[in-house]
Amino acid sequence: MERITQLADVIDRHVNGTGICTTVMPRLSLIRADQPSTPTPAVYEASLCLIAQGSKRVSIGDRSVVYDAAHYLLVSVDLPLVGHVIDASPDRPYLCCKIDLDPAMLADLMVSEGGDVSSTDLPVLAVYPGDPDLIDAACRLVRLLDRPETIDALAPLIEREILYRLLTGPHGPMLRHVATAGSHLNQVSRAIAAIRRRFDAQIRIEEVAAEAGMSPSSLHAHFKAITHMTPLEYQKQLRLQEARRLMLVGGASAGTAGFAVGYESPSQFSREYRRLFGAPPRQDIARLHTVPAAGMAL
């Protein structure tokens, strides 16, 4: 418990207000919430999420997991999830650090560390019991914010240690499959990256499949098995979430936001937006302006 308390202290020291706080380390984000939040769809990058205080539930399709200070979340590929903080208060806020996984560093570690790439049925979204060594490394990474001049030299070393501990932990086989060229997980990960790069344009499944090194039918089957949605459904969620951000943060109108993310029909945009977020754009944005920023937190 001492390590997790130290992590909570250092996160609390460096997070400003509630919601997501980016840092000078591009793969490190800090999150704070002072009260439970409403369920909110968002795309989670492949990442390690360590809660130092409080708890949160995330869901994909009909699968839900809860993680807290005694359990950490590992997301192996970019996934559209619905998440909400379930345990937080002003006296004991929800505090979390999110560390995005560097695929190049992961692949390099696999080469140097070796190990067999055996088949696995581990889920790409999973919760595991807390690891004191992992928490210690995360604490040291966040603590670098106290001395910014040390970040360039030390952050890559600590990130590499974190990835090493993940590779040699219970989820190692899953990460090896994600990083191994030719595996279905790696191919779907490449398809996800292709869709995210041009989410606001019309996509051709044949082109995405070719970029992933798969046939269209194989892409469809494996993509849905991993993300619980088709490639086109995945793109739709990206579009709607970006439109929501444009309206909430940028003050764009519903028509402008819908057009900006690739919708040509305002009625279709409003209909699909309501289906995902539970209310039409104007009503949803008005509601979000009355709730804490933590409602949007990862």
Side-chain angles (χ1 to χ4, degrees), residues 96-265:
C96 176
C97 72
K98 173 176 170 284
I99 303 167
D100 295 339
L101 307 185
D102 183 340
M105 190 180 293
L106 185 62
D108 180 65
L109 257 177
M110 283 180 56
V111 172
S112 60
E113 190 263 336
D116 182 37
V117 183
S118 55
S119 61
T120 178
D121 58 359
L122 291 172
V124 292
L125 172 72
V127 167
Y128 298 92
D131 178 346
D133 292 327
L134 201 55
I135 295 168
D136 178 66
C139 192
R140 283 185 278 115
L141 183 68
V142 180
R143 197 177 285 132
L144 292 181
L145 296 172
D146 291 331
R147 299 183 60 190
E149 72 277 7
T150 67
I151 289 174
D152 288 346
L154 298 181
L157 300 178
I158 301 175
E159 284 188 58
R160 190 177 178 90
E161 176 189 346
I162 289 170
L163 289 178
Y164 173 81
R165 297 194 181 282
L166 292 175
L167 271 178
T168 55
H171 27 54
M174 171 58 68
L175 291 179
R176 291 178 186 278
H177 268 270
V178 172
T180 300
S183 72
H184 290 142
L185 279 170
N186 180 270
Q187 291 171 317
V188 169
S189 183
R190 299 207 311 266
I192 287 172
I195 295 171
R196 295 196 72 176
R197 281 198 304 273
R198 50 183 186 270
F199 72 92
D200 56 347
Q202 185 174 1
I203 62 170
R204 289 176 52 84
I205 295 302
E206 293 80 5
E207 294 176 357
V208 175
E211 201 162 333
M214 309 175 80
S215 69
S217 60
S218 180
L219 171 65
H220 189 278
H222 290 290
F223 197 101
K224 189 160 188 177
I226 290 170
T227 68
H228 293 249
M229 60 184 63
T230 67
L232 290 178
E233 289 169 340
Y234 187 98
Q235 182 198 34
K236 184 188 298 181
Q237 284 219 13
L238 295 180
R239 285 182 167 185
L240 293 171
Q241 287 168 18
E242 174 61 11
R244 194 188 208 197
R245 187 193 68 80
L246 291 173
M247 290 184 288
L248 183 65
V249 179
S253 67
T256 299
F259 181 77
V261 299
Y263 280 92
E264 297 180 358
S265 166

Side-chain angles (χ1 to χ4, degrees), residues 61-105:
D62 58 359
R63 172 175 167 76
S64 294
V65 296
V66 174
Y67 62 114
D68 53 23
H71 303 83
Y72 61 89
L73 177 76
L74 185 68
V75 183
S76 300
V77 298
D78 297 359
L79 292 174
L81 305 176
V82 176
H84 66 287
V85 174
I86 56 179
D87 179 18
S89 68
D91 292 335
R92 285 187 56 81
Y94 168 87
L95 298 170
C96 176
C97 72
K98 173 176 170 284
I99 303 167
D100 295 339
L101 307 185
D102 183 340
M105 190 180 293

Side-chain angles (χ1 to χ4, degrees), residues 275-288:
R275 188 176 298 133
L276 179 62
F277 295 113
R282 185 178 300 177
Q283 182 179 332
D284 176 59
I285 297 304
R287 178 182 61 82
L288 288 175

